[in-house]
Amino acid sequence: MDNPAFEVHEEGSKNDLSMGKINTISRMEKKKQWSLLSIFLVCLLACVVTTAIGVLILSLVYINNSQSHLNVQFAAGVWPLRTTVDPKVQKAVDPKFQFLNHLPKSKVFEYSGGAIQWARYRNNVKDYLNDEEEAFGTSLNSQKSHMTLGTLRIKSKGLRAPHWHFNANEHGYLVQGTAWIGVVDDGGEIVTTYNVTAGQVIFFPQNTLHWIKNVGNEDCFFLLFFSTHDELQTLDVDDVFFSTPEDIASRSLKPEGGIDFIRKFQKQKEDQAVNLPSNLAELVMNASYVQSPDSLVWRYFYDLKGSKEYQFPGGVIQMAQHWRNGSELSNNEKIFSEFLNQHQNTLALSTLRIYNNGLRQPHFHFNANEMGYVLSGCGKVGIINTESTIEFNINIGDVVFFPIGTQHYIKNTCDEDLLFILAFSTGDQLQTLDMDDYLQATADHILAQLFFKKQSEFKKIPKFKEDQAINLP
């Protein structure tokens, strides 16, 4: 039986069912869409967090590496302070060039009156002639050596122009020739002048105006030591004069003719640091080379070749230094000793002569760096560290450097004497300890324990009455 009502109800139920299905599907689709969005958001958040952590790690690594680089770059005793890494530093250089400079191979600075060569630190690495020269200069600077060395050759009648050094005392040793020295004291009221010959020492305190005139017929050859490990700063009188405004120079000097007199001076094209005009005979008619009283001269002068000789089996040492006990010094030597000690950062000078087959035994200095120049002969130098020994040969003109506390030895390998001029970075009396002295001074039972040898074995090391600082086999 047809029942319209039922049919209507059935259709309504079907419609309700269809709507329910549609709603369910819609909710499922929305839920699915939300799940995908959630996954996307979680993945995005994870990427952001991972990226942030990665950036943080890279930053920390970069900072750490930068600090490590700076620590290496600026560590004391490694390299001098530089704002950039020079490509030369990356090159392999024989370690011996920290201690050795072949000065005869360095650049010669030529002047009309002579020449200068340098074993020194340079602010600009391009000023070094080669990597070995840079290694030596860097070593002087990083070890705070307080020493620079230059050779000065002055032709006969030539003049090292009046000048002064901003940042160093100067100590000179005359190897050859005869020179007349002038030193202008504070205020210009006292001018000390004196003559020097080969084997004698001159001394100029920092910022003291001085000149050197060759008054002999042969070249003067000086070894000059300066108490700085930075680049030497020097000012010559002619450079100062031509840099001064004309009106200022005229008002200061008040010459006859005033400013017109000043304008007649012409600056030479060539540097006049070591001066010798071609028309000198026309310029100078009446030269005199006055010697000041000893009380003045011996502040700036020391007769090293005439001083006491300290004799050893294998050689001789002479010293121009401050002596704490000056009882063995002459009155003039006491003047030099005391004057030297009154100034800061002065140097002690010495000659070291090692006979054929002689050895300056291993030793070190408590209170000074050491720099030396080979005057004659040839030899072998050894630098002893905790792991090994660096050995190298030396010949005439070579410069050596031994940092404070560094144990080193020098052996004569020629038939003739090996002769050095040495400088030490102290204005006080030099303090040195030799290998035989410190082994003799150490208790034998301490040595036995250290070296795993019976105590009686160390009785075999003899103790000599005569100092063996320079010994023979």
Side-chain angles (χ1 to χ4, degrees):
M1 178 175 156
D2 295 333
N3 189 344
F6 176 77
E7 289 176 359
V8 171
H9 178 73
E10 185 177 17
E11 289 176 1
S13 299
K14 287 181 179 179
N15 289 338
D16 290 341
L17 182 59
S18 299
M19 290 300 294
K21 288 180 178 179
I22 291 171
N23 291 337
T24 301
I25 292 171
S26 177
R27 286 195 300 271
M28 290 178 64
E29 287 177 350
K30 288 181 179 179
K31 186 174 182 181
K32 184 177 181 180
Q33 292 173 355
W34 171 250
S35 298
L36 291 172
L37 181 61
S38 298
I39 292 170
F40 172 77
L41 291 174
V42 169
C43 290
L44 179 62
L45 180 62
C47 289
V48 170
V49 170
T50 302
T51 302
I53 293 173
V55 170
L56 180 61
I57 292 172
L58 289 174
S59 299
L60 290 173
V61 170
Y62 175 79
I63 292 171
N64 186 53
N65 286 342
S66 299
Q67 289 176 340
S68 299
H69 173 73
L70 289 172
N71 287 338
V72 172
Q73 184 74 3
F74 300 142
V78 181
W79 298 106
L81 300 180
R82 292 181 181 169
T83 54
T84 58
V85 179
D86 187 80
K88 286 187 176 182
V89 175
Q90 307 301 326
K91 296 181 180 179
V93 179
D94 192 321
K96 73 181 182 182
F97 288 108
Q98 299 174 69
F99 314 104
L100 173 67
N101 180 290
H102 292 307
L103 190 59
K105 297 181 180 180
S106 67
K107 181 178 178 180
V108 180
F109 294 84
E110 296 278 3
Y111 304 92
S112 61
I116 297 175
Q117 287 180 283
W118 293 106
R120 67 192 287 185
Y121 169 74
R122 297 286 191 176
N123 289 327
N124 186 347
V125 294
K126 294 180 180 178
D127 290 337
Y128 291 113
L129 207 59
N130 49 51
D131 296 332
E132 290 78 13
E133 192 175 275
E134 181 185 352
F136 185 79
T138 297
S139 178
L140 293 183
N141 186 261
S142 63
Q143 295 289 344
K144 301 188 184 302
S145 66
H146 291 284
M147 284 192 289
T148 288
L149 184 145
T151 60
L152 169 64
R153 186 175 295 279
I154 308 177
K155 298 176 183 177
S156 177
K157 298 181 175 61
L159 168 70
R160 175 62 183 100
H163 65 284
W164 65 93
H165 308 289
F166 294 3
N167 61 336
N169 300 294
E170 179 179 354
H171 299 254
Y173 177 88
L174 182 54
V175 179
Q176 169 190 299
T178 305
W180 186 62
I181 309 295
V183 184
V184 181
D185 286 344
D186 179 32
E189 296 179 1
I190 300 175
V191 179
T192 302
T193 55
Y194 54 97
N195 294 282
V196 294
T197 58
Q200 296 177 326
V201 166
I202 54 178
F203 167 56
F204 309 121
Q206 181 176 334
N207 288 320
T208 300
L209 189 144
H210 57 280
W211 69 78
I212 306 173
K213 165 77 174 178
N214 184 341
V215 294
N217 295 322
E218 62 178 340
D219 287 359
C220 279
F221 184 66
F222 280 93
L223 293 175
L224 303 176
F225 296 90
F226 301 88
S227 62
T228 181
H229 49 264
D230 293 320
E231 189 156 26
L232 184 65
Q233 299 176 16
T234 303
L235 200 55
D236 291 354
V237 164
D238 61 325
D239 293 330
V240 175
F241 180 86
F242 288 111
S243 296
T244 304
E246 294 174 344
D247 61 322
I248 299 300
S250 177
R251 288 187 59 179
S252 300
L253 302 176
K254 298 188 184 304
E256 183 180 338
I259 197 168
D260 291 333
F261 174 85
I262 300 297
R263 288 173 177 167
K264 291 178 182 178
F265 288 82
Q266 297 295 323
K267 186 174 176 63
Q268 302 297 313
K269 291 181 180 180
E270 295 182 355
D271 192 332
Q272 297 299 305
V274 191
N275 158 282
L276 184 57
S278 57
N279 62 338
L280 181 62
E282 301 173 13
L283 302 175
V284 178
M285 305 295 181
N286 185 23
S288 62
Y289 306 112
V290 178
Q291 180 89 3
S292 297
D294 284 352
S295 59
L296 295 177
V297 169
W298 280 79
R299 295 182 300 167
Y300 307 111
F301 165 85
Y302 192 85
D303 184 16
L304 184 57
K305 70 177 180 180
S307 65
K308 179 179 178 179
E309 293 186 348
Y310 293 86
Q311 295 279 352
F312 304 92
V316 183
I317 293 176
Q318 291 177 283
M319 297 291 302
Q321 67 170 0
H322 168 70
W323 296 93
R324 293 176 184 172
N325 180 1
S327 60
E328 295 186 3
L329 301 178
S330 68
N331 289 333
N332 286 335
E333 288 174 336
K334 288 178 182 177
I335 293 172
F336 180 84
S337 174
E338 292 169 3
F339 190 69
L340 195 67
N341 193 242
Q342 290 170 11
H343 295 81
Q344 293 183 341
N345 299 323
T346 53
L347 306 176
L349 261 59
S350 166
T351 53
L352 168 65
R353 184 180 296 276
I354 304 176
Y355 302 148
N356 175 32
N357 210 25
L359 169 70
R360 177 66 183 98
Q361 69 162 283
H363 65 284
F364 65 93
H365 307 291
F366 292 8
N367 62 334
N369 298 293
E370 177 180 354
M371 182 181 283
Y373 178 95
V374 182
L375 289 170
S376 63
C378 61
K380 187 181 290 292
V381 166
I383 311 291
I384 304 171
N385 58 38
T386 55
E387 298 178 356
S388 62
T389 296
I390 298 174
E391 273 197 336
F392 51 86
N393 295 319
I394 51 171
N395 293 282
I396 295 173
D398 283 341
V399 178
V400 293
F401 169 61
F402 309 120
I404 187 170
T406 301
Q407 184 158 253
H408 56 282
Y409 59 85
I410 305 171
K411 183 166 55 175
N412 186 344
T413 57
C414 285
D415 293 334
E416 63 178 309
D417 290 354
L418 173 58
L419 180 60
F420 272 94
I421 176 70
L422 303 173
F424 303 90
S425 62
T426 179
D428 205 344
Q429 186 169 320
L430 184 65
Q431 298 176 6
T432 302
L433 191 59
D434 293 347
M435 175 179 274
D436 67 332
D437 291 330
Y438 63 71
L439 285 177
Q440 287 287 355
T442 303
D444 54 13
H445 63 86
I446 296 296
L447 295 174
Q449 181 174 338
L450 176 64
F451 290 105
F452 293 83
K453 288 283 186 181
K454 291 183 178 180
Q455 187 173 348
S456 58
E457 288 292 303
F458 295 96
K459 302 297 184 185
K460 297 178 181 179
I461 301 176
K463 186 172 180 63
F464 295 90
K465 292 182 179 180
E466 189 177 15
D467 194 328
Q468 298 294 303
I470 313 174
N471 65 28
L472 287 173

